[in-house]
Amino acid sequence: MVRIAEVLGSGRLLISDGAWGTSLMAMGFELGQCPELWCVTRPDDVRRIAREYAAAGADIIGTNSFGGSSLRLGDFGLADRAEELGRAAARLSRQEAGERWVAGSIGPTGRMLFAGDVTERQLYDSYREQASALESGGADVLCIETMSDVQEAEIAISACKENTGCEVFCTFTFERTTRGEYRTMMGVSPTAAALAAAAAGADVIGANCGNGMEAMLPIIEEMRAAKPCTPILVQANAGLPVQRDGRTVFPESPEQMAAMVGELVRAGANIIGGCCGTTPAHISAIRRAILQLT
């Protein structure tokens, strides 16, 4: 399959998929369960998510593997099943993706280097195992996402680049400070994140989660200024979460998110998709907006 970096180099815009957690919860997933375990206990439901995003027009289909590192799975007593679950997650999405790219989702481990929770070697080995499993299951891309610590992101990128032939994406999550700046939980700016991820070898950099489409604009502008030629991925939430009738909901409609697509592209985005609260309907609307730009 042609590499994404080559396609983006030709000037084409791409659409990634949306939230997987939102879809899992709609199918009955409850907090406290291990979502990756659904890849073997409820594979038809996992395939359905990939299939619906493909039908919505996503060019890049993710996997149900965000917390699939052995370190993260250890919280559920499943550390020894990391390879099995990673391979299954990629295989299920591969079965539904057709000619689309499959991006193996790799989230943070939840362990902090600065606090002594984990060593660099342990992080590397955990990410290496997950990356290799996702590639063997059929992933074309490894998407390291929702990162806040530059050092952990660099280790994850190295583990992916050195042990697989996959392209590697790396996105960070930012929040707006009281001074109006955007920083990760660890105090990392969009500029620092962009420079570090690119230097570590990421083929695509960007931002996901934490913000709706509008708030992503200054983040992407800053990343683009820092790295003028590196492709950028944006996966925004469907707005900031609010409480309605005792439930957490993300209020932005597909049309509201799609209305921001042109501005995000002008800010420097090359791939646009969704994160928390987004559905196949949001991705379909984003695709229509992108087609109107081309």
Side-chain angles (χ1 to χ4, degrees), residues 243-248:
Q243 290 294 316
R244 290 181 182 168
D245 300 323
R247 297 186 306 113
T248 300

Short mmCIF file of all heavy atoms in Angstrom, two decimals, residues 243-248:
data_model
loop_
_atom_site.label_atom_id
_atom_site.label_comp_id
_atom_site.label_asym_id
_atom_site.label_seq_id
_atom_site.Cartn_x
_atom_site.Cartn_y
_atom_site.Cartn_z
N GLN A 243 -22.51 18.17 31.26
CA GLN A 243 -23.39 17.24 31.94
C GLN A 243 -24.84 17.53 31.55
O GLN A 243 -25.32 18.65 31.68
CB GLN A 243 -23.23 17.36 33.45
CG GLN A 243 -21.90 16.86 33.99
CD GLN A 243 -21.74 15.36 33.81
OE1 GLN A 243 -22.66 14.58 34.07
NE2 GLN A 243 -20.56 14.93 33.37
N ARG A 244 -25.52 16.50 31.06
CA ARG A 244 -26.93 16.62 30.73
C ARG A 244 -27.68 15.40 31.28
O ARG A 244 -27.36 14.27 30.91
CB ARG A 244 -27.13 16.71 29.21
CG ARG A 244 -26.66 18.02 28.59
CD ARG A 244 -26.91 18.02 27.10
NE ARG A 244 -26.40 19.25 26.50
CZ ARG A 244 -26.28 19.43 25.17
NH1 ARG A 244 -26.64 18.46 24.34
NH2 ARG A 244 -25.82 20.58 24.69
N ASP A 245 -28.62 15.67 32.15
CA ASP A 245 -29.42 14.59 32.74
C ASP A 245 -28.54 13.51 33.37
O ASP A 245 -28.80 12.31 33.23
CB ASP A 245 -30.34 13.97 31.68
CG ASP A 245 -31.31 14.97 31.08
OD1 ASP A 245 -31.78 15.84 31.83
OD2 ASP A 245 -31.58 14.88 29.87
N GLY A 246 -27.47 13.97 34.04
CA GLY A 246 -26.59 13.03 34.71
C GLY A 246 -25.62 12.30 33.82
O GLY A 246 -24.90 11.41 34.26
N ARG A 247 -25.58 12.67 32.54
CA ARG A 247 -24.66 12.02 31.58
C ARG A 247 -23.67 13.02 31.05
O ARG A 247 -23.97 14.21 30.88
CB ARG A 247 -25.44 11.40 30.41
CG ARG A 247 -26.40 10.30 30.79
CD ARG A 247 -27.02 9.66 29.55
NE ARG A 247 -27.63 10.65 28.67
CZ ARG A 247 -27.20 10.96 27.46
NH1 ARG A 247 -26.12 10.38 26.96
NH2 ARG A 247 -27.85 11.84 26.73
N THR A 248 -22.46 12.55 30.74
CA THR A 248 -21.47 13.39 30.08
C THR A 248 -21.68 13.31 28.58
O THR A 248 -21.68 12.21 28.01
CB THR A 248 -20.05 12.92 30.43
OG1 THR A 248 -19.86 13.00 31.84
CG2 THR A 248 -19.01 13.79 29.73
#
